[in-house]
Amino acid sequence: MSAVRLWDIFCTVVDNYGDIGVTWRLARQLVDEHDQQVRLWVDDLNSFARICRALDPTRPQQVCQGVDIRLWPLDFHADPQLADIVIEAFACTLPSRQIEAMQQRQQPPLWINLEYLTAEAWIDDCHGLPSRQQGLNKFFFFPGFSERSGGLICERSLRLQRERWQAATSLRQQWLAELGLPPAAENSLFLSLFTYESTALPALIQHWQQAAQPIVCLIPQGRSLISLADLIPNAAPGLHWQQGALTIHILPMTDQPGYDQLLWSCDLNLVRGEDSFLRAQWAARPFIWHIYPQQEAAHLDKLDAFLQRYCATLSAPCRQAITALSHAYDAGDGESAVSAWKEVMSCWPEWQKHAAEWPRQALAGGDLASRLVIFCENRLK
């Protein structure tokens, strides 16, 4: 059993929900599953409150689900009780006063830079390495899919919760009714859509209208709606739009448990960023990842590295179809996206079976929180 440590986790909210989504999950898991004490410093409590309904954004300090949540103000002052472990999430810069307090301590805290998730192989040789900065050692912790990486965020109880939900078909109907949505045809294909803007989306929407089976598309409030402005003007939560075989429901922004239920309830999920990307994998359903675009198309290396791992055991036609759809959606190529969609549907049963087996394969080496606790204990002995 690990010693009880005090952790400071610093997070700047860059993409509204991704960064804070991951750090909030990590903080809760450290408390719930490893009996650690965690202070979570966040610079934007208003965005945070949208995924954590119990949070009051007007209060600069409060405890939610066992985590001590604090506003990270511009005039930050280090807490007199310095933490044993300090994490800067996703390369955010620690406050200068925090670093000064760490420098003045005879035995400085363990300083960790929690990096963004990637499936690229090079992180295996960089994971856990220290860098001497401002007289202190900073360790770089890389989440990833290999046993040599830092692992992936996933709660111990998540698989059982998801299996129970998906085994009880009445739960989806009850959930849809609670959202105020009308019953769907039994043979409907359910899609969720939570991506960045993509000019491929209108072409897919038009194609889905001509589908042979009914399609229900659930779209939480977000940036993907910008791409539909010409097709669905003034799209807002509560709007129901039907054309041909396609029915679209615009949903309000939900908290993290509600988003998991959305993913579990759909047959295919289009997701973005890092947090929803991982939750779609744990939903054990087919998904398309709209990765955050980077300069000089650096994000495509990350996308291809993941697709290579994810599709490694699939047949060549299925692997090629998923890769083509992922790239077409990322590039905003509507014609190619529609063509790839048709190919994906031809290998649909194979993809469904693979998606159901993938979570066990991806987590074979352990979860991120557990690996992080072990990493810290090995250096604080």
Side-chain angles (χ1 to χ4, degrees), residues 95-202:
S96 58
R97 287 172 176 163
Q98 176 73 18
I99 295 177
E100 291 169 3
M102 293 162 59
Q103 292 169 330
Q104 293 167 8
R105 186 167 166 177
Q106 185 174 2
Q107 184 176 353
L110 187 62
W111 183 8
I112 295 175
N113 180 4
L114 179 63
E115 292 282 350
Y116 285 100
L117 167 65
T118 182
E120 295 169 291
W122 64 263
I123 68 168
D124 288 349
D125 295 323
C126 300
H127 173 63
L129 294 181
S131 174
R132 195 69 177 173
Q133 298 187 16
Q134 303 187 61
L136 301 167
N137 281 330
K138 178 164 69 170
F139 292 86
F140 290 82
F141 198 93
F142 286 87
F145 292 85
S146 74
E147 293 187 2
R148 293 175 58 191
S149 72
L152 305 167
I153 283 280
C154 185
E155 304 89 337
R156 291 174 185 167
S157 62
L158 186 65
R159 179 182 63 83
L160 184 57
Q161 293 176 26
R162 185 258 302 165
E163 288 178 347
R164 286 175 175 171
W165 179 276
Q166 292 177 338
T169 56
S170 61
L171 287 177
R172 181 168 74 175
Q173 294 300 333
Q174 179 182 343
W175 176 76
L176 291 171
E178 290 173 352
L179 289 174
L181 306 184
E186 290 186 5
N187 65 330
S188 295
L189 181 72
F190 275 78
L191 313 178
S192 80
L193 181 63
F194 186 63
T195 68
Y196 304 110
E197 303 89 334
S198 173
T199 51
L201 185 52

Side-chain angles (χ1 to χ4, degrees), residues 14 61 87-88 94 158 163 176 237 259 261-262 273 356 377:
V14 177
Q61 180 179 354
I87 295 179
E88 53 183 23
L94 288 183
L158 186 65
E163 288 178 347
L176 291 171
Y259 187 64
Q261 292 172 351
L262 170 64
E377 281 303 302

Side-chain angles (χ1 to χ4, degrees), residues 144-147 151-152 282 358-367 371:
F145 292 85
S146 74
E147 293 187 2
L152 305 167
W282 305 151
W358 173 252
R360 176 184 53 80
Q361 180 181 340
L363 281 169
D367 69 278
R371 293 192 193 189

Side-chain angles (χ1 to χ4, degrees), residues 311-327:
C311 298
T313 60
L314 291 169
S315 67
C318 191
R319 180 171 62 250
Q320 292 165 4
I322 294 171
T323 300
L325 181 56
S326 299
H327 276 270

Side-chain angles (χ1 to χ4, degrees), residues 188-189 205-217 241-248:
S188 295
L189 181 72
I205 293 290
Q206 292 175 340
H207 176 71
W208 292 338
Q209 295 173 27
Q210 311 303 319
Q213 71 178 120
I215 294 180
V216 178
C217 186
W241 185 88
Q242 195 275 327
Q243 191 74 31
L246 176 64
T247 301
I248 290 177

